Amino acid sequence: MKIVTVVGARPQFIKAAVVSEELRKYFDEVMIHTGQHFDYNMSEVFFDEMNIPHPDYNLGISGGSHAEMTGKMLIEIEKILLDENPDLVLLYGDTNSTLAGALSAVKLHIPICHVEAGNRLGTLDNPEEVNRILTDHCSKILCCCTKSALEFLEKEGLGDRATLVGDPMYDAFLKYSEQVGDEIPEKLFDLDGNEEKVPEKFYYLTCHRAENTATIEPLSEILSAMEELDEKCIYPVHPRNQKMVRELAEKHNFKNIIFCKPVGYMMSVYLVNHAKKIVTDSGGLQREAYFARKQCVTIFDHIVWPETMTEKRNQLSKPSKEEILRLLDEKVSFENYDYPFGDGKSSEKIIEVIKKSQNLE
Ligand code: UD1
Ligand code: UDP
């Protein structure tokens, strides 16, 4: 049985690292990298560090409007699917690469397995929500990370295609946390390529959502909050907002923030596990904060991962200096910790679900 996997963005490489390893024990995998993320430290570093097999195709498609990017991907993925004639297409998450994979496959009547299915914000203003809903409705096999995601799918009449498998991000986090341990795994470089020292105590910030970076005000507020903290803040800057960050850094001369290039996954795992607290707008990072039992403030209007939000462990904030600082100041406990993201074996469960769907069990 042949499976074509479509990936393109940083979080998808991390999920594919653990799922592909399991998948390749039983199936032939052909991997398409759309090219959506392309800088070394947004793409190749993950393939190198996590031993992900080199993609069979790299489409080199990135940037432009959503329609431009998705449209170009759609055309190129279709050609490959016609050529490869797979039994299944495997997709992750909610990026434009995911949507392009889904539309290409469903129109060719190729069954789709969607991993990380069912999360819902309740607004089509968010581009990832559109990608998620459309991909879910095009897919034959829906693998949910959490019970709440499964329930959303049941409400949408998709329950019979859905299975709760747990979160492959959790599999990856457990595996690589053990590997990384307490050693700093790689050097940190500022935006000009100069080495930065990793402080013993620090906060970890990431911010890349369109909602927080389309104009300069939200980021300006977020950075002003970080500047006030009692320890340094490490901020690997996503390429989307490096220009804006440089402008703000020049204007405000921040002393407490270490602006650096995006780091590899090993380093990110180290930063999560050793941070005092985490501030982010990333779907992945807010889960990792929970996995590592770190208090998190998520700069976003909508709940994506309700399971992380129990007992104020992860709280939503507007991009407002006062609100971020107030929430970070609250006392949070990780006693009574439960495991809503599975047991670290979701990759195996995904493969079982695929086998079952093909009557291979
Ligand atoms: C995308 C996903 C988002 C995901 C994020 C992970 C969509 C709609 N959004 O957002 O769900 O959370 O990836 O990080 O698919 N760029 C570079 N170098 C790179 C990567 C990007 O310069 O290696 C530039 C692009 O050219 C573009 C901008 O950054 O101008 C934004 O990239 P894009 O892939 O469109 O969106 P992300 O913000 O990365
Ligand atoms: N991450 C990384 N390097 C960085 C920032 C984040 O490896 O410089 C990892 C992080 O640990 C998490 C994933 O990237 O596993 C999250 O990806 P991102 O925030 O880009 O996307 P999202 O999860 O929001 O879709």
Side-chain angles (χ1 to χ4, degrees):
M1 180 181 165
K2 190 198 269 186
I3 296 183
V4 165
T5 299
V6 181
V7 292
R10 175 165 69 184
Q12 294 166 332
F13 309 140
I14 297 164
K15 291 158 206 166
V18 283
V19 178
S20 278
E21 192 186 349
E22 196 57 28
L23 186 84
R24 288 180 186 233
K25 292 181 190 165
Y26 306 95
F27 306 116
D28 291 333
E29 185 183 36
V30 174
M31 190 178 280
I32 304 177
H33 184 327
T34 60
Q36 181 169 348
H37 287 176
F38 52 90
D39 292 344
Y40 176 79
N41 51 6
M42 292 293 290
S43 173
E44 219 175 312
V45 67
F46 298 96
F47 288 82
D48 289 350
E49 282 185 342
M50 303 171 89
N51 291 321
I52 310 169
H54 201 74
D56 301 275
Y57 299 88
N58 191 321
L59 307 180
I61 300 167
S62 64
S65 69
H66 285 268
E68 268 175 317
M69 192 200 294
T70 314
K72 283 183 193 161
M73 289 174 184
L74 188 51
I75 292 166
E76 296 308 317
I77 295 170
E78 181 182 66
K79 286 181 198 162
I80 298 171
L81 293 183
L82 285 169
D83 227 33
E84 294 284 352
N85 193 23
D87 301 287
L88 187 86
V89 167
L90 177 61
L91 303 171
Y92 296 96
D94 51 20
T95 70
N96 289 344
S97 300
T98 316
L99 178 62
L103 294 178
S104 319
V106 75
K107 299 273 178 132
L108 294 174
H109 306 155
I110 303 168
I112 298 164
C113 171
H114 184 207
V115 172
E116 209 179 281
N119 298 73
R120 295 290 183 266
L121 310 182
T123 170
L124 293 180
D125 288 343
N126 173 265
E128 286 79 17
E129 179 90 342
V130 178
N131 295 344
R132 259 182 238 127
I133 293 175
L134 294 175
T135 303
D136 283 343
H137 282 260
C138 290
S139 298
K140 183 176 167 203
I141 306 171
L142 296 166
C143 293
C144 302
C145 297
T146 58
K147 207 161 153 273
S148 63
L150 184 68
E151 284 165 5
F152 277 121
L153 292 177
E154 281 164 354
K155 276 189 209 142
E156 290 175 24
L158 299 177
D160 56 338
R161 307 184 210 169
T163 311
L164 179 60
V165 295
D167 186 356
M169 288 291 273
Y170 187 45
D171 300 16
F173 192 78
L174 288 180
K175 175 174 173 184
Y176 290 99
S177 289
E178 198 179 329
Q179 202 165 302
V180 170
D182 293 326
E183 292 292 313
I184 299 173
E186 62 188 63
K187 290 178 178 166
L188 206 57
F189 294 101
D190 73 12
L191 296 179
D192 296 316
N194 305 306
E195 193 177 334
E196 284 278 358
K197 199 171 165 304
V198 181
E200 207 174 304
K201 291 186 178 161
F202 56 85
Y203 292 83
Y204 183 16
L205 167 72
T206 74
C207 176
H208 71 275
R209 294 249 154 260
E211 287 87 339
N212 287 328
T213 57
T215 59
I216 206 155
E217 289 77 18
L219 197 56
S220 174
E221 283 286 316
I222 296 165
L223 296 181
S224 304
M226 300 298 111
E227 182 65 5
E228 300 288 312
L229 293 171
D230 57 334
E231 304 289 351
K232 295 254 182 208
C233 168
I234 297 179
Y235 174 24
V237 185
H238 189 289
R240 173 194 270 279
N241 43 330
Q242 284 190 7
K243 190 165 164 274
M244 199 179 268
V245 163
R246 280 183 189 276
E247 261 173 52
L248 284 167
E250 205 160 288
K251 189 166 159 207
H252 296 282
N253 193 22
F254 296 112
K255 294 268 186 279
N256 202 43
I257 306 171
I258 300 171
F259 296 101
C260 57
K261 292 181 189 272
V263 297
Y265 183 64
M266 302 303 131
M267 186 60 171
S268 189
V269 164
Y270 175 87
L271 296 177
V272 171
N273 282 321
H274 293 82
K276 192 165 172 180
K277 297 178 185 184
I278 291 170
V279 178
T280 191
D281 61 4
S282 157
L285 212 74
Q286 59 184 287
R287 269 130 81 206
E288 288 169 349
Y290 184 88
F291 303 157
R293 304 175 194 210
K294 301 284 174 172
Q295 183 178 349
C296 183
V297 171
T298 295
I299 321 285
F300 202 49
D301 273 345
H302 305 278
I303 295 173
V304 193
W305 296 99
E307 296 76 8
T308 62
M309 304 232 148
T310 48
E311 301 188 39
K312 299 185 174 180
R313 289 160 180 167
N314 178 22
Q315 297 193 77
L316 293 185
S317 173
K318 296 250 177 283
S320 135
K321 177 180 167 182
E322 278 67 36
E323 190 175 358
I324 296 167
L325 290 173
R326 180 173 56 74
L327 295 177
L328 280 175
D329 215 28
E330 290 194 15
K331 291 264 171 300
V332 166
S333 158
F334 278 87
E335 277 174 34
N336 310 318
Y337 185 85
D338 50 12
Y339 295 86
F341 294 95
D343 57 3
K345 291 192 165 48
S346 75
S347 313
E348 290 170 33
K349 295 197 181 99
I350 291 165
I351 305 312
E352 276 168 29
V353 175
I354 293 176
K355 278 186 185 166
K356 211 166 155 191
S357 78
Q358 307 289 319
N359 298 320
L360 295 176
E361 267 194 346

